[in-house]
Amino acid sequence: MHRVASALQRFADRLLARSTLTQEEVEAILDLKGAAFQARPNYDIVSPGESVHAACLIVAGLVGRFEQMQDGARQITAVHIAGDMCDLHSVVIPTMEWRLQALTTTTYLRIPHTELRRLAREFPALAEAFWRDCAVDAAMLSQWVINTGRREAICRCSHLLCEVALRSEYAGLGSRTSFPLEATQAHLGDMLALSAVHVNRTLQSLRRMKLIGMAGRHVEVHDWDELAALGDFDASYLQFLERPFPRTLLSA
Amino acid sequence: MHRVASALQRFADRLLARSTLTQEEVEAILDLKGAAFQARPNYDIVSPGESVHAACLIVAGLVGRFEQMQDGARQITAVHIAGDMCDLHSVVIPTMEWRLQALTTTTYLRIPHTELRRLAREFPALAEAFWRDCAVDAAMLSQWVINTGRREAICRCSHLLCEVALRSEYAGLGSRTSFPLEATQAHLGDMLALSAVHVNRTLQSLRRMKLIGMAGRHVEVHDWDELAALGDFDASYLQFLERPFPRTLLSA
DNA sequence: CGGGTCATTGACGTATGTCAAAGGCCGTGG
DNA sequence: CCACGGCCTTTGACATACGTCAATGACCCG
């Protein structure tokens, strides 16, 4: 299946941006098998409390990591795009602590934990790469905290757009100045801890300032530098490196 | 040094709460060597951008993980107490993405990455345990996002107190109803994304509701169940398990 | 006794939420 | 091909939780 192969390739590329891997190790990733599933918008891929035996690799679509309060209030704490293995954590913590829900129609592969564990065992450098990916995830979450906690709506929104822009660019889904973002304003509100109404007003000011254009579900960034400055955005936390980290850890 | 040994013991216990380790593996942790340092309140332990070659194990004190904006606004995205290895991530990502700053006078050990890598190489189950610890850190961050993003001040504050209470209890520093919290109200504000003034008012309501007492830098929880309910607190994300995860991953 | 840090209080400002209604867009079905 | 319905966006009026500022008070330590 063509799209499955491209998802695995995207995942491998993501790992390669941060970790040094041999050809054999990359092949092992590309040879991963998993069953393909589809989720419709606003449907769960996995629910909190569930015991999972596979991790989800997104082939196409957009997925949110949801935390939820007793009273039903929701907060998206991370978004995942094509090529993301969105619950790599579950390999070491198989009890889901959050909800993964499709924001748009999403195709994904369920890659059995047994396969990922086998890879981690056979190729210590892959174990290291997986661990590193979880550490990058933590860095993104840490940014998400200051975003919701300290930044004003415009700044917050700009920061999110910058993050999605760069991640989309590196995933080969577009460029930082032109990329898809298939989320409703209500979804953006859940990401930004803003009401949908305020997201609307905030996006309007960004458009009025001629920083972005949003037609349909596609973002055009008219002035990247300005947007990044407004969003207090420094890309280093994403760890898209010119030179990936060396094989320091497990492969002596 | 007695206190150094107890810090390593606390760290080992933390790992054992989540991962199954052999006696030999635990011994390897307890045998770790590191230079002891002390940091005064509001001084950096490590700064963003720094390349580090050691991870910090807290012997005594309180440390915050700070994100900072260009304009100087700060946000604490995690707190670390005695027994926490507060930048285990740095083993796989040696370029610090955040600031670690002592909130109170803090003693810590710098454990060289080379030592931790050696352990991960010799004992795959320890590599797994380290990775798992980073995954738990991500779960805590995810909770921190919804805390700052969606919860009202009282709820937010209660949630934080519950988290620190349980972590202190499991670290052997007190009980969930009586534990030290050596942070000023300004520090709590940085954790909660509230102003110090509003933290003050919020703590007052918690006291007026007879849920807690705070004398000096020590918290007494008068009604744990009520506090947890008010804080929308469900401890499962902390992964303090009755039965730790089995050795699934790296030790075939 | 004096200086510094921290907690507390009150008055006031504001960014953002809530509610409710209207308008656009698009697919579906008759 | 048109009409309907559903989802999303947009708008306006109004409410409020929280921030800011500034002063005072408490405590601790030298």
Side-chain angles (χ1 to χ4, degrees):
Chain A
M1 227 170 125
H2 166 251
R3 297 173 77 207
V4 166
S6 77
L8 286 165
Q9 185 65 55
R10 284 200 174 96
F11 178 54
D13 289 345
R14 193 81 36 89
L15 294 177
L16 281 167
R18 296 159 183 160
S19 307
T20 306
L21 300 176
T22 64
Q23 186 59 36
E24 192 189 6
E25 286 154 358
V26 172
E27 300 278 343
I29 294 285
L30 297 178
D31 281 349
L32 280 171
K33 304 276 181 285
F37 291 82
Q38 203 167 50
R40 323 202 65 198
N42 303 313
Y43 275 82
D44 286 2
I45 291 175
V46 291
S47 313
E50 207 177 305
S51 265
V52 299
H53 304 91
C56 300
L57 174 61
I58 302 179
V59 177
L62 188 65
V63 171
R65 181 189 306 177
F66 286 79
E67 293 282 349
Q68 199 154 8
M69 293 175 54
Q70 295 264 335
D71 72 4
R74 296 142 66 88
Q75 171 70 45
I76 297 179
T77 63
V79 289
H80 295 289
I81 61 178
D84 284 356
M85 185 80 78
C86 55
D87 51 357
L88 198 47
H89 312 77
S90 68
V91 174
V92 286
I93 304 188
T95 311
M96 290 304 290
E97 281 306 320
W98 45 59
R99 183 184 305 278
L100 290 174
Q101 190 171 95
L103 303 185
T104 180
T105 303
T106 297
T107 311
Y108 62 99
L109 300 178
R110 283 190 194 272
I111 314 246
H113 285 165
T114 50
E115 286 299 289
L116 294 167
R117 289 188 183 122
R118 181 178 57 75
L119 258 50
R121 203 179 304 130
E122 275 182 39
F123 304 101
L126 283 179
E128 181 178 1
F130 293 162
W131 176 6
R132 182 169 290 128
D133 227 55
C134 285
V136 173
D137 185 71
M140 293 196 284
L141 281 165
S142 193
Q143 281 290 325
W144 211 288
V145 173
I146 185 174
N147 215 30
T148 53
R150 286 298 182 201
R151 294 200 247 258
E152 302 207 325
I154 284 211
C155 179
R156 207 184 291 190
C157 196
S158 306
H159 193 278
L160 176 71
L161 289 174
C162 288
E163 175 175 324
V164 175
L166 280 197
R167 287 172 58 195
S168 298
E169 179 172 288
Y170 279 86
L173 302 169
S175 73
R176 69 186 65 187
T177 55
S178 178
F179 58 93
L181 180 54
E182 305 217 49
T184 65
Q185 293 182 356
H187 286 144
L188 292 174
D190 285 341
M191 297 178 203
L192 296 165
L194 293 172
S195 67
V197 171
H198 206 71
V199 168
N200 183 285
R201 294 194 245 257
T202 306
L203 289 175
Q204 281 181 58
S205 4
L206 284 174
R207 277 180 296 209
R208 246 182 283 114
M209 295 165 79
K210 309 260 189 241
L211 292 182
I212 64 163
M214 288 183 80
R217 294 290 156 77
H218 199 93
V219 179
E220 296 288 330
V221 177
H222 297 138
D223 188 337
W224 172 263
D225 291 342
E226 270 302 309
L227 188 70
L230 182 60
D232 192 51
F233 183 77
D234 174 350
S236 60
Y237 73 97
L238 291 173
Q239 304 289 345
F240 289 126
L241 306 172
E242 308 220 341
R243 196 172 295 272
F245 290 109
R247 305 160 67 83
T248 50
L249 173 58
L250 296 165
S251 37
Chain B
M1 226 171 121
H2 166 251
R3 298 173 75 207
V4 166
S6 78
L8 286 166
Q9 185 65 57
R10 284 201 174 96
F11 178 54
D13 288 345
R14 195 80 38 88
L15 294 177
L16 282 167
R18 294 157 184 161
S19 305
T20 306
L21 300 176
T22 64
Q23 186 58 35
E24 191 189 8
E25 287 154 357
V26 173
E27 300 278 344
I29 293 286
L30 296 178
D31 281 348
L32 280 170
K33 303 276 181 283
F37 291 82
Q38 203 167 51
R40 323 200 66 197
N42 303 314
Y43 276 82
D44 286 3
I45 291 176
V46 292
S47 313
E50 207 177 306
S51 264
V52 298
H53 304 91
C56 301
L57 174 60
I58 303 178
V59 178
L62 189 65
V63 172
R65 180 189 305 178
F66 285 79
E67 293 282 349
Q68 199 154 9
M69 292 176 53
Q70 295 263 338
D71 71 6
R74 298 144 64 87
Q75 172 70 43
I76 298 179
T77 63
V79 290
H80 296 290
I81 61 178
D84 284 356
M85 185 79 80
C86 56
D87 51 357
L88 197 49
H89 313 77
S90 67
V91 174
V92 286
I93 304 187
T95 311
M96 290 304 291
E97 282 306 320
W98 45 62
R99 182 184 307 278
L100 290 174
Q101 190 172 97
L103 303 185
T104 182
T105 302
T106 296
T107 310
Y108 62 99
L109 300 178
R110 281 191 194 272
I111 314 245
H113 285 164
T114 50
E115 285 299 289
L116 294 167
R117 288 186 184 124
R118 181 178 56 75
L119 257 52
R121 203 179 304 131
E122 274 181 40
F123 303 102
L126 282 179
E128 181 178 0
F130 293 162
W131 175 6
R132 182 169 291 128
D133 228 54
C134 285
V136 174
D137 186 70
M140 293 196 285
L141 280 165
S142 192
Q143 282 290 324
W144 211 289
V145 173
I146 185 174
N147 215 31
T148 53
R150 286 297 181 202
R151 295 201 248 256
E152 302 207 327
I154 285 212
C155 179
R156 211 185 286 192
C157 196
S158 307
H159 193 278
L160 176 71
L161 290 174
C162 288
E163 176 175 323
V164 175
L166 280 197
R167 286 171 58 194
S168 298
E169 178 172 289
Y170 278 86
L173 302 169
S175 73
R176 69 186 65 187
T177 54
S178 176
F179 58 93
L181 181 53
E182 305 218 49
T184 66
Q185 293 182 355
H187 286 144
L188 292 174
D190 285 341
M191 296 177 204
L192 295 166
L194 293 172
S195 67
V197 170
H198 207 72
V199 168
N200 183 287
R201 294 194 244 257
T202 307
L203 289 176
Q204 281 181 57
S205 358
L206 285 173
R207 278 181 294 210
R208 244 182 284 113
M209 294 165 80
K210 308 259 189 244
L211 292 182
I212 64 163
M214 288 183 80
R217 293 289 157 76
H218 199 95
V219 180
E220 297 288 329
V221 177
H222 297 139
D223 188 336
W224 171 263
D225 291 342
E226 270 302 309
L227 188 70
L230 183 59
D232 193 50
F233 182 78
D234 175 349
S236 60
Y237 73 97
L238 291 173
Q239 304 288 345
F240 288 126
L241 306 171
E242 309 220 343
R243 195 173 295 274
F245 290 111
R247 307 160 67 83
T248 49
L249 173 58
L250 297 166
S251 37

